[in-house]
Amino acid sequence: MSDTRETRGELVGDGCGQQHYISLVSEIISQQTAEAGRLPGVYIMTFGCQQNEADSERLAGVAEAMGYVMVDRPEEASLIIANTCAVREHAEQKALSHIGRLKHIKKENPAAVIVACGCMTAQEHRQNELKQRYPYVDIVLGSSGWQRLPELLYRRLSGERRLFCLDDGGAVPENLPVRREFSYKAWLPVMYGCDNYCSYCIVPYVRGRERSRRPEDILAEARELVGNGCRDITLLGQNVNSYGRDLGTGYDFAQLISDISAIEGDFRLRFMTSHPKDATRRLVDALAKSDKAARHFHLPLQSGSDKILKAMNRRYNRANYLDTVAYIRERMPDIALTSDIIVGFPGETDEDFEDTLDIIRRVRFDMIFSFVFSPRRGTPAADMDNQVPGEVKTQRYLALVELQNAISEEINKRFQGSVVRVLCDGPSKTDKSMYGGRTSGNKIVYYPGEQADIGNFVNVKVERTEAFALYGTKTGEPAADNR
């Protein structure tokens, strides 16, 4: 007889269904606490993007509502959650390696419940692998299946066998608790899923179709964040520019930016990720008019070659992209532009790569995030002909980095002697006397700081610049841009 059970079910959009199970699990936890004399712990491992980090904050909030307390080590936990990523093979292998290390914990404490969720576990072959090779994993959920954690945890604690959630529903739950990592900055999901189906990307297959949250729910959460002292809000979605299309009301991302910007308070508003084909002039105008919108626009290019962009199914070309950049800079001359680049996509020739370098020279990004193409099982690009040899990809990657580093260094030199407004994140990991934070344009700034700076805006006079950071000292002088 199999020791696993596959489960399907509808998600309840307002979270009420899961609230019922939160109460049921709380009753079990209360009984266990009375017997053990201490509250059970929950340990959450997060791999991947900002959306996963936001999901983990909601997992933590739900766990606390059920009666668990956060702990620093998996050995101390009664509930262990691995929130996984599938964007690259390396991310999956890293997650599987960490899950593998939990085997000894389960052996020492058979009552501990181990949960795997996230993008990696939304893939059928990975679910099968977890079934067969990781028998100590109790519950497996897909990328949005975390919303059913209370239900499945209750069923497992009530004696059911291993549970695998194969149907994540599709509703967007509201009113579930959130435990935020920081009080002064926050991830604010506005939508889930993606409809773009870029040929290299696994996201639409593991996160499903686009599903937008209701504007009133987003605005209520934003007001609560600002009211609690949050200074930096990042709106999240696989393609935030297409927010609202599935709602059928005409309410779009530009309107959402305007409405959140109208909230009273001293805070910055950021967003990611943005698709160039949907970066409309209406959106750019809304950002330009906002006194809250950060002066940073992340606009993933991926390739400067029209041939490669078509093969990627990006649905824009060089001219479209450059026109968008020109309008952004026309409306916001102080904007910091960053981008993503994939090197070595199948069929990329030396000429195609040179087209990418050409756009980098033209646009002069403040920074780019560059990646060597990695085939993802289940995507069209994985089966394309003309895969680029590894050594060629490496050479191109190094040339790309060299060019961008030189541009970044030149751009940052312009800040020499200026005063910038920094939201302090705390001490540096390598030098506790130096504190770091980010400007409105997302520049990293380090300066000799103090504990009281954390979570507050600090004016810093820049005395030294590098390609990736600015360095200076606190000053009473006003910043050139107080946004």
Side-chain angles (χ1 to χ4, degrees):
M1 180 181 293
S2 172
D3 67 342
T4 67
R5 177 173 295 179
E6 295 180 358
T7 178
R8 297 179 183 273
E10 292 296 323
L11 291 178
V12 180
D14 61 3
C16 292
Q18 296 307 308
Q19 290 288 354
H20 170 67
Y21 287 106
I22 287 174
S23 298
L24 292 177
V25 175
S26 295
E27 293 176 8
I28 296 175
I29 297 302
S30 295
Q31 182 177 348
Q32 292 179 349
T33 299
E35 295 172 355
R38 61 182 177 84
L39 292 169
V42 57
Y43 180 81
I44 301 178
M45 300 180 288
T46 306
F47 306 88
C49 68
Q50 292 83 358
Q51 186 67 65
N52 272 22
E53 292 180 26
D55 289 347
S56 286
E57 290 185 339
R58 281 155 171 74
L59 284 165
V62 168
E64 284 196 337
M66 291 187 292
Y68 292 90
V69 294
M70 300 296 297
V71 294
D72 296 326
R73 300 169 60 244
E75 291 81 3
E76 302 169 355
S78 299
L79 174 62
I80 304 170
I81 303 173
N83 189 7
T84 64
C85 173
V87 172
R88 286 180 292 279
E89 179 72 21
H90 175 72
E92 293 190 12
Q93 293 302 325
K94 182 178 179 181
L96 289 170
S97 175
H98 279 77
I99 292 171
R101 296 172 194 169
L102 301 177
K103 182 178 181 178
H104 76 279
I105 295 178
K106 189 72 169 182
K107 183 177 181 180
E108 293 293 325
N109 180 16
V113 177
I114 298 175
V115 179
C117 63
C119 293
M120 183 191 80
T121 60
Q123 302 170 97
E124 186 176 359
H125 72 284
R126 289 302 188 195
Q127 287 214 359
N128 290 334
E129 184 176 2
L130 288 166
K131 284 181 185 179
Q132 297 165 11
R133 296 182 53 197
Y134 301 81
Y136 47 89
V137 175
D138 298 274
I139 299 172
V140 177
L141 303 165
S143 58
S144 56
W146 64 265
Q147 302 153 11
R148 293 181 64 190
L149 176 65
E151 172 196 346
L152 300 187
L153 182 59
Y154 170 73
R155 289 165 58 180
R156 182 60 172 155
L157 292 175
S158 299
E160 287 198 36
R161 295 169 294 181
R162 301 173 71 201
L163 294 162
F164 287 73
C165 182
L166 302 180
D167 184 357
D168 293 338
V172 179
E174 300 291 350
N175 303 322
L176 289 177
V178 182
R179 184 187 189 276
R180 300 191 185 278
E181 184 177 358
F182 304 100
S183 62
Y184 62 92
K185 61 181 181 179
W187 309 117
L188 177 49
V190 301
M191 63 186 300
Y192 299 90
C194 182
D195 288 350
N196 288 311
Y197 290 92
C198 299
S199 63
Y200 53 82
C201 186
I202 195 69
V203 168
Y205 304 96
V206 296
R207 283 201 172 266
R209 302 300 298 267
E210 291 178 353
R211 305 173 313 279
S212 300
R213 295 179 64 192
R214 296 183 297 249
E216 56 268 30
D217 293 324
I218 298 170
L219 290 168
E221 190 170 346
R223 291 190 192 98
E224 181 181 13
L225 287 169
V226 175
N228 290 334
C230 187
R231 301 297 188 90
D232 192 291
I233 298 174
T234 302
L235 308 180
L236 290 181
Q238 267 65 49
N239 175 19
V240 291
N241 294 350
S242 62
Y243 168 81
R245 288 180 184 171
D246 57 310
L247 298 177
T249 63
Y251 191 98
D252 62 4
F253 191 56
Q255 187 61 54
L256 184 64
I257 290 289
S258 298
D259 288 348
I260 296 178
S261 297
I263 298 173
E264 292 188 9
D266 185 11
F267 67 95
R268 289 174 179 158
L269 183 60
R270 304 183 186 275
F271 59 90
M272 64 186 316
T273 293
S274 190
H275 198 296
K277 73 177 177 62
D278 299 316
T280 64
R281 294 196 170 198
R282 174 176 161 81
L283 171 60
V284 175
D285 290 342
L287 294 169
K289 293 175 183 176
S290 171
D291 63 347
K292 306 291 174 49
R295 271 11 192 192
H296 170 225
F297 204 123
H298 186 70
L299 195 65
L301 170 64
Q302 305 303 3
S303 174
S305 161
D306 284 345
K307 183 191 82 177
I308 298 300
L309 287 172
K310 184 176 182 180
M312 289 179 169
N313 192 35
R314 290 293 284 173
R315 288 178 280 177
Y316 58 84
N317 56 32
R318 286 170 57 91
N320 300 149
Y321 189 92
L322 291 172
D323 284 347
T324 299
V325 168
Y327 190 72
I328 292 171
R329 285 193 162 142
E330 175 188 333
R331 297 291 283 116
M332 295 177 285
D334 57 345
I335 200 74
L337 282 173
T338 57
S339 192
D340 296 338
I341 303 290
I342 295 175
V343 174
F345 188 82
E348 182 186 72
T349 64
D350 289 342
E351 291 75 18
D352 295 322
F353 179 62
E354 181 55 43
D355 284 343
T356 297
L357 297 182
D358 176 66
I359 284 198
I360 290 174
R361 294 187 190 102
R362 289 178 183 226
V363 175
R364 294 182 61 81
F365 296 104
D366 287 66
M367 185 172 67
I368 62 171
F369 298 89
S370 49
F371 309 92
V372 171
F373 172 75
S374 171
R376 299 304 299 120
R377 177 174 172 173
T379 65
D383 298 321
M384 286 182 177
D385 295 330
N386 300 319
Q387 297 286 330
V388 178
E391 61 272 18
V392 175
K393 289 192 284 191
T394 298
Q395 291 171 1
R396 290 176 183 170
Y397 174 82
L398 293 175
L400 180 76
V401 170
E402 182 180 11
L403 172 60
Q404 181 57 49
N405 285 354
I407 293 172
S408 297
E409 189 169 359
E410 290 176 11
I411 290 174
N412 282 355
K413 281 180 180 178
R414 301 174 187 171
F415 289 88
Q416 183 78 33
S418 66
V419 177
V420 293
R421 193 176 191 229
V422 178
L423 180 60
C424 179
D425 280 321
S428 163
K429 293 180 180 179
T430 57
D431 184 352
K432 298 302 180 183
S433 69
M434 297 293 287
Y435 280 56
R438 293 180 184 269
T439 68
S440 176
N442 214 37
K443 299 289 184 183
I444 300 174
V445 181
Y446 292 105
Y447 68 96
E450 55 188 335
Q451 190 75 15
D453 293 343
I454 300 177
N456 291 309
F457 288 113
V458 177
N459 287 353
V460 176
K461 187 163 188 176
V462 179
E463 298 167 342
R464 179 167 64 88
T465 67
E466 294 181 357
F468 302 107
L470 312 176
Y471 299 83
T473 56
K474 282 199 292 186
T475 178
E477 297 179 45
D481 181 356
N482 287 325
R483 291 171 296 195

PDB file of all heavy atoms in Angstrom, residues 371-398:
ATOM      1  N   PHE A 371      23.307  36.545 -16.592  1.00  0.00           N
ATOM      2  CA  PHE A 371      23.190  35.114 -16.370  1.00  0.00           C
ATOM      3  C   PHE A 371      23.635  34.354 -17.608  1.00  0.00           C
ATOM      4  O   PHE A 371      23.333  34.750 -18.732  1.00  0.00           O
ATOM      5  CB  PHE A 371      21.737  34.733 -16.064  1.00  0.00           C
ATOM      6  CG  PHE A 371      21.109  35.549 -14.976  1.00  0.00           C
ATOM      7  CD1 PHE A 371      20.397  36.701 -15.284  1.00  0.00           C
ATOM      8  CD2 PHE A 371      21.238  35.180 -13.649  1.00  0.00           C
ATOM      9  CE1 PHE A 371      19.815  37.466 -14.285  1.00  0.00           C
ATOM     10  CE2 PHE A 371      20.661  35.937 -12.644  1.00  0.00           C
ATOM     11  CZ  PHE A 371      19.945  37.084 -12.955  1.00  0.00           C
ATOM     12  N   VAL A 372      24.352  33.269 -17.396  1.00  0.00           N
ATOM     13  CA  VAL A 372      24.669  32.349 -18.481  1.00  0.00           C
ATOM     14  C   VAL A 372      23.459  31.455 -18.694  1.00  0.00           C
ATOM     15  O   VAL A 372      22.887  30.936 -17.727  1.00  0.00           O
ATOM     16  CB  VAL A 372      25.917  31.513 -18.141  1.00  0.00           C
ATOM     17  CG1 VAL A 372      26.114  30.403 -19.171  1.00  0.00           C
ATOM     18  CG2 VAL A 372      27.151  32.393 -18.060  1.00  0.00           C
ATOM     19  N   PHE A 373      23.025  31.297 -19.939  1.00  0.00           N
ATOM     20  CA  PHE A 373      21.836  30.502 -20.223  1.00  0.00           C
ATOM     21  C   PHE A 373      21.955  29.103 -19.647  1.00  0.00           C
ATOM     22  O   PHE A 373      22.952  28.415 -19.827  1.00  0.00           O
ATOM     23  CB  PHE A 373      21.603  30.411 -21.732  1.00  0.00           C
ATOM     24  CG  PHE A 373      20.495  29.452 -22.091  1.00  0.00           C
ATOM     25  CD1 PHE A 373      19.173  29.790 -21.896  1.00  0.00           C
ATOM     26  CD2 PHE A 373      20.797  28.188 -22.603  1.00  0.00           C
ATOM     27  CE1 PHE A 373      18.153  28.899 -22.208  1.00  0.00           C
ATOM     28  CE2 PHE A 373      19.795  27.291 -22.925  1.00  0.00           C
ATOM     29  CZ  PHE A 373      18.462  27.656 -22.722  1.00  0.00           C
ATOM     30  N   SER A 374      20.898  28.709 -18.930  1.00  0.00           N
ATOM     31  CA  SER A 374      20.827  27.381 -18.333  1.00  0.00           C
ATOM     32  C   SER A 374      19.518  26.738 -18.770  1.00  0.00           C
ATOM     33  O   SER A 374      18.443  27.268 -18.468  1.00  0.00           O
ATOM     34  CB  SER A 374      20.874  27.483 -16.804  1.00  0.00           C
ATOM     35  OG  SER A 374      20.613  26.244 -16.188  1.00  0.00           O
ATOM     36  N   PRO A 375      19.559  25.623 -19.504  1.00  0.00           N
ATOM     37  CA  PRO A 375      18.316  24.985 -19.970  1.00  0.00           C
ATOM     38  C   PRO A 375      17.451  24.543 -18.796  1.00  0.00           C
ATOM     39  O   PRO A 375      17.953  23.951 -17.835  1.00  0.00           O
ATOM     40  CB  PRO A 375      18.816  23.774 -20.760  1.00  0.00           C
ATOM     41  CG  PRO A 375      20.245  24.055 -21.063  1.00  0.00           C
ATOM     42  CD  PRO A 375      20.756  24.880 -19.926  1.00  0.00           C
ATOM     43  N   ARG A 376      16.165  24.860 -18.865  1.00  0.00           N
ATOM     44  CA  ARG A 376      15.217  24.430 -17.844  1.00  0.00           C
ATOM     45  C   ARG A 376      14.303  23.378 -18.445  1.00  0.00           C
ATOM     46  O   ARG A 376      13.621  23.638 -19.436  1.00  0.00           O
ATOM     47  CB  ARG A 376      14.395  25.623 -17.334  1.00  0.00           C
ATOM     48  CG  ARG A 376      15.211  26.721 -16.693  1.00  0.00           C
ATOM     49  CD  ARG A 376      16.083  26.228 -15.528  1.00  0.00           C
ATOM     50  NE  ARG A 376      15.306  25.660 -14.445  1.00  0.00           N
ATOM     51  CZ  ARG A 376      15.447  24.410 -14.031  1.00  0.00           C
ATOM     52  NH1 ARG A 376      16.320  23.594 -14.608  1.00  0.00           N
ATOM     53  NH2 ARG A 376      14.723  23.958 -13.039  1.00  0.00           N
ATOM     54  N   ARG A 377      14.294  22.238 -17.831  1.00  0.00           N
ATOM     55  CA  ARG A 377      13.444  21.143 -18.293  1.00  0.00           C
ATOM     56  C   ARG A 377      11.989  21.607 -18.354  1.00  0.00           C
ATOM     57  O   ARG A 377      11.480  22.237 -17.423  1.00  0.00           O
ATOM     58  CB  ARG A 377      13.572  19.966 -17.316  1.00  0.00           C
ATOM     59  CG  ARG A 377      12.693  18.779 -17.645  1.00  0.00           C
ATOM     60  CD  ARG A 377      13.022  17.636 -16.713  1.00  0.00           C
ATOM     61  NE  ARG A 377      12.069  16.521 -16.864  1.00  0.00           N
ATOM     62  CZ  ARG A 377      12.205  15.341 -16.259  1.00  0.00           C
ATOM     63  NH1 ARG A 377      13.248  15.135 -15.468  1.00  0.00           N
ATOM     64  NH2 ARG A 377      11.309  14.396 -16.428  1.00  0.00           N
ATOM     65  N   GLY A 378      11.332  21.323 -19.483  1.00  0.00           N
ATOM     66  CA  GLY A 378       9.943  21.706 -19.638  1.00  0.00           C
ATOM     67  C   GLY A 378       9.736  23.004 -20.384  1.00  0.00           C
ATOM     68  O   GLY A 378       8.594  23.389 -20.651  1.00  0.00           O
ATOM     69  N   THR A 379      10.824  23.700 -20.740  1.00  0.00           N
ATOM     70  CA  THR A 379      10.703  24.939 -21.502  1.00  0.00           C
ATOM     71  C   THR A 379      11.142  24.701 -22.949  1.00  0.00           C
ATOM     72  O   THR A 379      11.998  23.848 -23.215  1.00  0.00           O
ATOM     73  CB  THR A 379      11.573  26.055 -20.902  1.00  0.00           C
ATOM     74  OG1 THR A 379      12.963  25.694 -21.012  1.00  0.00           O
ATOM     75  CG2 THR A 379      11.228  26.283 -19.433  1.00  0.00           C
ATOM     76  N   PRO A 380      10.605  25.451 -23.915  1.00  0.00           N
ATOM     77  CA  PRO A 380      10.986  25.260 -25.322  1.00  0.00           C
ATOM     78  C   PRO A 380      12.484  25.428 -25.567  1.00  0.00           C
ATOM     79  O   PRO A 380      13.063  24.713 -26.397  1.00  0.00           O
ATOM     80  CB  PRO A 380      10.181  26.338 -26.047  1.00  0.00           C
ATOM     81  CG  PRO A 380       8.990  26.569 -25.178  1.00  0.00           C
ATOM     82  CD  PRO A 380       9.494  26.413 -23.776  1.00  0.00           C
ATOM     83  N   ALA A 381      13.118  26.365 -24.874  1.00  0.00           N
ATOM     84  CA  ALA A 381      14.531  26.643 -25.131  1.00  0.00           C
ATOM     85  C   ALA A 381      15.429  25.468 -24.786  1.00  0.00           C
ATOM     86  O   ALA A 381      16.525  25.326 -25.342  1.00  0.00           O
ATOM     87  CB  ALA A 381      14.969  27.881 -24.347  1.00  0.00           C
ATOM     88  N   ALA A 382      14.982  24.615 -23.880  1.00  0.00           N
ATOM     89  CA  ALA A 382      15.803  23.472 -23.470  1.00  0.00           C
ATOM     90  C   ALA A 382      16.009  22.495 -24.616  1.00  0.00           C
ATOM     91  O   ALA A 382      17.003  21.762 -24.646  1.00  0.00           O
ATOM     92  CB  ALA A 382      15.163  22.772 -22.278  1.00  0.00           C
ATOM     93  N   ASP A 383      15.059  22.481 -25.555  1.00  0.00           N
ATOM     94  CA  ASP A 383      15.133  21.528 -26.667  1.00  0.00           C
ATOM     95  C   ASP A 383      15.530  22.180 -27.985  1.00  0.00           C
ATOM     96  O   ASP A 383      15.474  21.544 -29.040  1.00  0.00           O
ATOM     97  CB  ASP A 383      13.775  20.836 -26.844  1.00  0.00           C
ATOM     98  CG  ASP A 383      13.370  20.041 -25.614  1.00  0.00           C
ATOM     99  OD1 ASP A 383      14.250  19.408 -25.007  1.00  0.00           O
ATOM    100  OD2 ASP A 383      12.172  20.072 -25.254  1.00  0.00           O
ATOM    101  N   MET A 384      15.938  23.441 -27.948  1.00  0.00           N
ATOM    102  CA  MET A 384      16.319  24.130 -29.177  1.00  0.00           C
ATOM    103  C   MET A 384      17.659  23.637 -29.706  1.00  0.00           C
ATOM    104  O   MET A 384      18.527  23.207 -28.938  1.00  0.00           O
ATOM    105  CB  MET A 384      16.406  25.644 -28.924  1.00  0.00           C
ATOM    106  CG  MET A 384      15.067  26.326 -28.774  1.00  0.00           C
ATOM    107  SD  MET A 384      15.270  28.124 -28.529  1.00  0.00           S
ATOM    108  CE  MET A 384      13.550  28.635 -28.483  1.00  0.00           C
ATOM    109  N   ASP A 385      17.808  23.692 -31.021  1.00  0.00           N
ATOM    110  CA  ASP A 385      19.096  23.364 -31.634  1.00  0.00           C
ATOM    111  C   ASP A 385      20.083  24.505 -31.403  1.00  0.00           C
ATOM    112  O   ASP A 385      19.731  25.567 -30.892  1.00  0.00           O
ATOM    113  CB  ASP A 385      18.909  23.144 -33.137  1.00  0.00           C
ATOM    114  CG  ASP A 385      18.029  21.936 -33.438  1.00  0.00           C
ATOM    115  OD1 ASP A 385      18.044  20.986 -32.633  1.00  0.00           O
ATOM    116  OD2 ASP A 385      17.323  21.965 -34.464  1.00  0.00           O
ATOM    117  N   ASN A 386      21.315  24.274 -31.790  1.00  0.00           N
ATOM    118  CA  ASN A 386      22.354  25.300 -31.733  1.00  0.00           C
ATOM    119  C   ASN A 386      22.617  25.793 -30.318  1.00  0.00           C
ATOM    120  O   ASN A 386      22.750  26.999 -30.079  1.00  0.00           O
ATOM    121  CB  ASN A 386      21.991  26.485 -32.639  1.00  0.00           C
ATOM    122  CG  ASN A 386      21.835  26.090 -34.085  1.00  0.00           C
ATOM    123  OD1 ASN A 386      22.622  25.295 -34.598  1.00  0.00           O
ATOM    124  ND2 ASN A 386      20.813  26.623 -34.739  1.00  0.00           N
ATOM    125  N   GLN A 387      22.683  24.861 -29.366  1.00  0.00           N
ATOM    126  CA  GLN A 387      23.072  25.244 -28.006  1.00  0.00           C
ATOM    127  C   GLN A 387      24.511  25.768 -28.046  1.00  0.00           C
ATOM    128  O   GLN A 387      25.376  25.207 -28.709  1.00  0.00           O
ATOM    129  CB  GLN A 387      22.978  24.039 -27.068  1.00  0.00           C
ATOM    130  CG  GLN A 387      21.578  23.477 -26.906  1.00  0.00           C
ATOM    131  CD  GLN A 387      20.678  24.342 -26.035  1.00  0.00           C
ATOM    132  OE1 GLN A 387      21.146  25.021 -25.128  1.00  0.00           O
ATOM    133  NE2 GLN A 387      19.372  24.333 -26.316  1.00  0.00           N
ATOM    134  N   VAL A 388      24.758  26.852 -27.358  1.00  0.00           N
ATOM    135  CA  VAL A 388      26.069  27.505 -27.376  1.00  0.00           C
ATOM    136  C   VAL A 388      27.028  26.757 -26.439  1.00  0.00           C
ATOM    137  O   VAL A 388      26.671  26.460 -25.296  1.00  0.00           O
ATOM    138  CB  VAL A 388      25.945  28.984 -26.945  1.00  0.00           C
ATOM    139  CG1 VAL A 388      27.313  29.659 -26.915  1.00  0.00           C
ATOM    140  CG2 VAL A 388      24.988  29.724 -27.880  1.00  0.00           C
ATOM    141  N   PRO A 389      28.241  26.444 -26.907  1.00  0.00           N
ATOM    142  CA  PRO A 389      29.207  25.735 -26.055  1.00  0.00           C
ATOM    143  C   PRO A 389      29.503  26.503 -24.765  1.00  0.00           C
ATOM    144  O   PRO A 389      29.498  27.740 -24.744  1.00  0.00           O
ATOM    145  CB  PRO A 389      30.452  25.637 -26.939  1.00  0.00           C
ATOM    146  CG  PRO A 389      29.939  25.748 -28.341  1.00  0.00           C
ATOM    147  CD  PRO A 389      28.767  26.682 -28.264  1.00  0.00           C
ATOM    148  N   GLY A 390      29.779  25.762 -23.717  1.00  0.00           N
ATOM    149  CA  GLY A 390      30.017  26.364 -22.413  1.00  0.00           C
ATOM    150  C   GLY A 390      31.151  27.364 -22.402  1.00  0.00           C
ATOM    151  O   GLY A 390      31.052  28.437 -21.790  1.00  0.00           O
ATOM    152  N   GLU A 391      32.253  27.042 -23.103  1.00  0.00           N
ATOM    153  CA  GLU A 391      33.404  27.953 -23.075  1.00  0.00           C
ATOM    154  C   GLU A 391      33.081  29.269 -23.790  1.00  0.00           C
ATOM    155  O   GLU A 391      33.571  30.339 -23.394  1.00  0.00           O
ATOM    156  CB  GLU A 391      34.632  27.286 -23.707  1.00  0.00           C
ATOM    157  CG  GLU A 391      34.497  26.890 -25.172  1.00  0.00           C
ATOM    158  CD  GLU A 391      33.921  25.495 -25.369  1.00  0.00           C
ATOM    159  OE1 GLU A 391      33.310  24.971 -24.406  1.00  0.00           O
ATOM    160  OE2 GLU A 391      34.098  24.935 -26.482  1.00  0.00           O
ATOM    161  N   VAL A 392      32.239  29.210 -24.816  1.00  0.00           N
ATOM    162  CA  VAL A 392      31.838  30.428 -25.518  1.00  0.00           C
ATOM    163  C   VAL A 392      30.956  31.287 -24.611  1.00  0.00           C
ATOM    164  O   VAL A 392      31.118  32.509 -24.551  1.00  0.00           O
ATOM    165  CB  VAL A 392      31.102  30.089 -26.830  1.00  0.00           C
ATOM    166  CG1 VAL A 392      30.579  31.361 -27.495  1.00  0.00           C
ATOM    167  CG2 VAL A 392      32.025  29.335 -27.776  1.00  0.00           C
ATOM    168  N   LYS A 393      30.027  30.647 -23.914  1.00  0.00           N
ATOM    169  CA  LYS A 393      29.165  31.376 -22.991  1.00  0.00           C
ATOM    170  C   LYS A 393      29.994  32.066 -21.905  1.00  0.00           C
ATOM    171  O   LYS A 393      29.728  33.217 -21.540  1.00  0.00           O
ATOM    172  CB  LYS A 393      28.133  30.437 -22.362  1.00  0.00           C
ATOM    173  CG  LYS A 393      27.062  29.964 -23.336  1.00  0.00           C
ATOM    174  CD  LYS A 393      25.903  29.279 -22.642  1.00  0.00           C
ATOM    175  CE  LYS A 393      26.233  27.887 -22.206  1.00  0.00           C
ATOM    176  NZ  LYS A 393      25.019  27.132 -21.767  1.00  0.00           N
ATOM    177  N   THR A 394      30.994  31.367 -21.409  1.00  0.00           N
ATOM    178  CA  THR A 394      31.838  31.942 -20.359  1.00  0.00           C
ATOM    179  C   THR A 394      32.596  33.155 -20.879  1.00  0.00           C
ATOM    180  O   THR A 394      32.672  34.192 -20.201  1.00  0.00           O
ATOM    181  CB  THR A 394      32.831  30.886 -19.838  1.00  0.00           C
ATOM    182  OG1 THR A 394      32.099  29.800 -19.267  1.00  0.00           O
ATOM    183  CG2 THR A 394      33.751  31.479 -18.786  1.00  0.00           C
ATOM    184  N   GLN A 395      33.161  33.053 -22.070  1.00  0.00           N
ATOM    185  CA  GLN A 395      33.898  34.185 -22.649  1.00  0.00           C
ATOM    186  C   GLN A 395      32.994  35.401 -22.832  1.00  0.00           C
ATOM    187  O   GLN A 395      33.374  36.533 -22.520  1.00  0.00           O
ATOM    188  CB  GLN A 395      34.503  33.764 -23.996  1.00  0.00           C
ATOM    189  CG  GLN A 395      35.626  32.743 -23.885  1.00  0.00           C
ATOM    190  CD  GLN A 395      36.043  32.191 -25.241  1.00  0.00           C
ATOM    191  OE1 GLN A 395      35.511  32.586 -26.290  1.00  0.00           O
ATOM    192  NE2 GLN A 395      36.993  31.257 -25.229  1.00  0.00           N
ATOM    193  N   ARG A 396      31.801  35.163 -23.333  1.00  0.00           N
ATOM    194  CA  ARG A 396      30.871  36.275 -23.549  1.00  0.00           C
ATOM    195  C   ARG A 396      30.432  36.889 -22.214  1.00  0.00           C
ATOM    196  O   ARG A 396      30.299  38.108 -22.096  1.00  0.00           O
ATOM    197  CB  ARG A 396      29.651  35.784 -24.346  1.00  0.00           C
ATOM    198  CG  ARG A 396      29.986  35.454 -25.790  1.00  0.00           C
ATOM    199  CD  ARG A 396      28.787  34.870 -26.531  1.00  0.00           C
ATOM    200  NE  ARG A 396      29.184  34.497 -27.899  1.00  0.00           N
ATOM    201  CZ  ARG A 396      28.428  33.794 -28.722  1.00  0.00           C
ATOM    202  NH1 ARG A 396      27.224  33.362 -28.325  1.00  0.00           N
ATOM    203  NH2 ARG A 396      28.855  33.500 -29.943  1.00  0.00           N
ATOM    204  N   TYR A 397      30.189  36.037 -21.250  1.00  0.00           N
ATOM    205  CA  TYR A 397      29.784  36.523 -19.924  1.00  0.00           C
ATOM    206  C   TYR A 397      30.861  37.444 -19.347  1.00  0.00           C
ATOM    207  O   TYR A 397      30.560  38.526 -18.826  1.00  0.00           O
ATOM    208  CB  TYR A 397      29.534  35.339 -18.994  1.00  0.00           C
ATOM    209  CG  TYR A 397      29.261  35.726 -17.562  1.00  0.00           C
ATOM    210  CD1 TYR A 397      27.989  36.132 -17.159  1.00  0.00           C
ATOM    211  CD2 TYR A 397      30.275  35.683 -16.603  1.00  0.00           C
ATOM    212  CE1 TYR A 397      27.733  36.491 -15.841  1.00  0.00           C
ATOM    213  CE2 TYR A 397      30.029  36.039 -15.287  1.00  0.00           C
ATOM    214  CZ  TYR A 397      28.762  36.437 -14.917  1.00  0.00           C
ATOM    215  OH  TYR A 397      28.529  36.788 -13.617  1.00  0.00           O
ATOM    216  N   LEU A 398      32.107  37.037 -19.433  1.00  0.00           N
ATOM    217  CA  LEU A 398      33.201  37.840 -18.890  1.00  0.00           C
ATOM    218  C   LEU A 398      33.327  39.171 -19.628  1.00  0.00           C
ATOM    219  O   LEU A 398      33.585  40.218 -19.018  1.00  0.00           O
ATOM    220  CB  LEU A 398      34.515  37.059 -18.973  1.00  0.00           C
ATOM    221  CG  LEU A 398      34.607  35.819 -18.064  1.00  0.00           C
ATOM    222  CD1 LEU A 398      35.902  35.064 -18.336  1.00  0.00           C
ATOM    223  CD2 LEU A 398      34.510  36.208 -16.595  1.00  0.00           C
TER     224      LEU A 398
END
